[in-house]
Amino acid sequence: MTTIRRTLLAGLGLALLLPATAPAQVGPASANPAPMALPGAAAPTVAPATPAPGAPGAPAAVPAEGVVPKNEAGTAPADPGAGKPVARTKRLVPDDPKKVYLFLDPVSVQPPEGDLGGDLAAVLTRLARVRINLLESVRLKTYQEMPEVPEVMARFGDLEKLDRVSLIAIKNLTGFDGLVRMTYGYEGDQVHLRLTCFDFRNGQIARKRELTGPLGADLFSVVEGDLTEFATLVRRSYRVTLEVKSSPEGATVRVNQRVVGKTPLVHELQSGEYTIKVEQEGFKPFEERYQLSDSDRLHLDVTLYNPLAARFLNAEPGFRIDSRELDLGYQYVFLDLDRPGVTAVHSYTMAWLLRFLDWDVGVSWATSLGTEGENRLDTFLGEEEGLQHYDINLQRFLAVVKYSLLEKYSFASLRLGASGGMAYASTDDGDRTLTRWTPSASLFLELVSQLVRGGNFSLEAQLDLGAAYLGQLPYTERTFSLFGAAPAEEQTRAMFGPMAAIALRLVFWNGIF
């Protein structure tokens, strides 16, 4: 078993010496995160955290990288200065606001297991150094670089029992922003690892975890993730985190006129005053100025509007545009005119509306299709023995207003609607064409049912029932005698009757304005 461990550790140590890519930055960890199990069938188990022993003193010699030598009893030598008042000392690292300095306590094994303990300690030390130093503006110092640090830290006593003020004092005295401490031991074929991360900048224990599992990649993966999260958390204490989301996505984000990326975006800044601008072609841009300090987290959830909708943004909430609607449908108006013999008008309809809370306001257009009329004429052969034929074309241009009387769970609603505008009527009897512009209007109840909803789009079906006045229809009326056709007389007829309409409604909610 000792040979297997030695071979595995040698392979992991070689892998850590190879060039590594920078790990993806993750969000800050909580002070006491929930235990996380390692992936895989033989994943290590997480045991409840137990208080760690005090920081070890500086040893006289180190048999392997990251290993603290033990005395004959198998424990670390006691530090004679522990528990005594801490004397002010010079800073161990420079006070550089652009860099974060962390220290890795010598990795110790309890109880010692000869060279095997040293091998794993060296691998853990190398893992911490490589991964943390890959992060921008973060530097990890180890015992090999600064052998005096463990003795200085030991003067403060048991760090896990210190209050927030005392932990911050360590930062002010030494210059270190945080401390990483790892201890481990073997339980048969299992490794029991304890990891504690101290955040001196914010005066808290940012991470405390105990792992038990087989020695392998899963174990090192969890350690690597914890170290990266901890280092990122401390670094963000010196930075401003800017998080921008937009609707629609893919908008360009500018910070002081410099492009930093597209939404959704997470970006870090130094403290200071910034103008944040979010823009996309065809939409009104968002722009605000902010005064930001270290550790601030600015979250922007921006909705970009088209220029028409943007005109209403400064109005009262009741007048803000909520959606755009496009209606495509069919309308039937029953007339039953005996002269000029028109039974009904069939029309294609299209409407474009904007939604203001309970109100829909917009315009509509309707065009008749295949409308014909016939007029029986008196001739020398007898009454109504002649026939006059008409081709009728009707165009209507209307303003539309609707009000929601009842809405049920956003998928069904009852509305009262009215429209008014002008109608253009054209009648061709084969000899001449008559045209006329006249007023037109309608009043109706509308039932709407939602068919499909996905994101900022929904497809709805609507049914309208009511009455419509289509305007005046011009036509000619002829008479005949034994001497031939008499001059045609121009007539008009009001077109009014019950109306029914169906339509598909395409609703584009304000998220895609």
Side-chain angles (χ1 to χ4, degrees), residues 168-190:
I168 295 177
I170 297 177
K171 152 67 181 172
N172 296 332
L173 289 172
T174 66
F176 278 107
D177 300 283
L179 174 72
V180 177
R181 178 175 291 166
M182 287 187 280
T183 61
Y184 67 95
Y186 291 106
E187 300 176 1
D189 293 336
Q190 304 288 306

Side-chain angles (χ1 to χ4, degrees), residues 13 24 58 70 133 147 163 199-200 213 219 222 242 317 319 321 344 380 385 411 418 445 461 464 479 483 496 499 505:
K70 311 298 178 190
N133 285 337
D163 58 18
D199 179 1
F200 297 148
L219 179 71
V222 174
L242 172 64
F319 294 97
I321 293 177
F380 63 89
E385 291 296 329
F411 62 80
L445 281 175
D464 296 347
T479 58
F483 303 101
F496 178 81
M499 176 268 291
R505 165 176 293 177

Side-chain angles (χ1 to χ4, degrees), residues 331 333-335 396 440-443 466-471 495-499:
Q331 185 185 72
V333 180
F334 179 75
L335 298 178
R396 283 171 291 150
S440 178
S442 64
L443 183 67
Y469 173 67
L470 305 183
M495 296 177 288
F496 178 81
M499 176 268 291

Side-chain angles (χ1 to χ4, degrees), residues 111-307:
E113 289 203 5
D115 292 340
L116 273 178
D119 289 342
L120 181 55
V123 170
L124 291 172
T125 301
R126 185 67 55 85
L127 173 67
R129 177 189 295 137
V130 171
R131 295 309 180 192
I132 291 181
N133 285 337
L134 281 175
L135 295 174
E136 180 186 357
S137 303
V138 180
R139 292 294 175 266
L140 179 72
K141 301 294 184 180
T142 65
Y143 173 77
Q144 284 72 30
E145 300 170 81
M146 304 182 68
E148 72 279 10
V149 174
E151 181 181 357
V152 174
M153 293 291 182
R155 296 175 187 171
F156 293 90
D158 188 350
L159 300 186
E160 294 192 27
K161 296 181 179 180
L162 296 183
D163 58 18
R164 180 174 181 272
V165 175
S166 299
L167 291 176
I168 295 177
I170 297 177
K171 152 67 181 172
N172 296 332
L173 289 172
T174 66
F176 278 107
D177 300 283
L179 174 72
V180 177
R181 178 175 291 166
M182 287 187 280
T183 61
Y184 67 95
Y186 291 106
E187 300 176 1
D189 293 336
Q190 304 288 306
V191 177
H192 182 76
L193 176 67
R194 188 172 191 269
L195 171 67
T196 308
C197 300
F198 299 88
D199 179 1
F200 297 148
R201 165 77 177 182
N202 297 298
Q204 63 182 3
I205 297 177
R207 175 72 74 182
K208 183 187 292 186
R209 188 191 295 281
E210 293 194 24
L211 300 168
T212 300
L215 182 63
D218 290 341
L219 179 71
F220 291 101
S221 177
V222 174
V223 174
E224 179 182 347
D226 282 355
L227 293 175
T228 302
E229 289 185 18
F230 170 60
T232 303
L233 171 67
V234 178
R235 183 186 66 182
R236 284 179 175 169
S237 298
Y238 289 92
R239 301 288 185 92
V240 175
T241 302
L242 172 64
E243 183 177 358
V244 185
K245 297 180 180 179
S246 72
S247 182
E249 292 185 350
T252 300
V253 180
R254 293 180 179 270
V255 177
N256 289 347
Q257 303 302 318
R258 183 174 63 89
V259 176
V260 296
K262 294 184 178 295
T263 59
L265 170 75
V266 177
H267 185 72
E268 292 184 356
L269 303 168
Q270 301 288 341
S271 60
E273 189 172 8
Y274 294 96
T275 298
I276 313 297
K277 185 175 184 179
V278 184
E279 59 185 358
Q280 184 160 314
E281 185 177 357
F283 297 82
K284 179 180 174 62
F286 166 88
E287 185 173 353
E288 290 290 344
R289 193 160 186 84
Y290 301 92
Q291 181 66 47
L292 303 174
S293 302
D294 287 344
S295 76
D296 283 351
R297 189 177 185 90
L298 177 61
H299 174 79
L300 299 178
D301 198 346
V302 178
T303 299
L304 301 178
Y305 295 85
N306 66 15

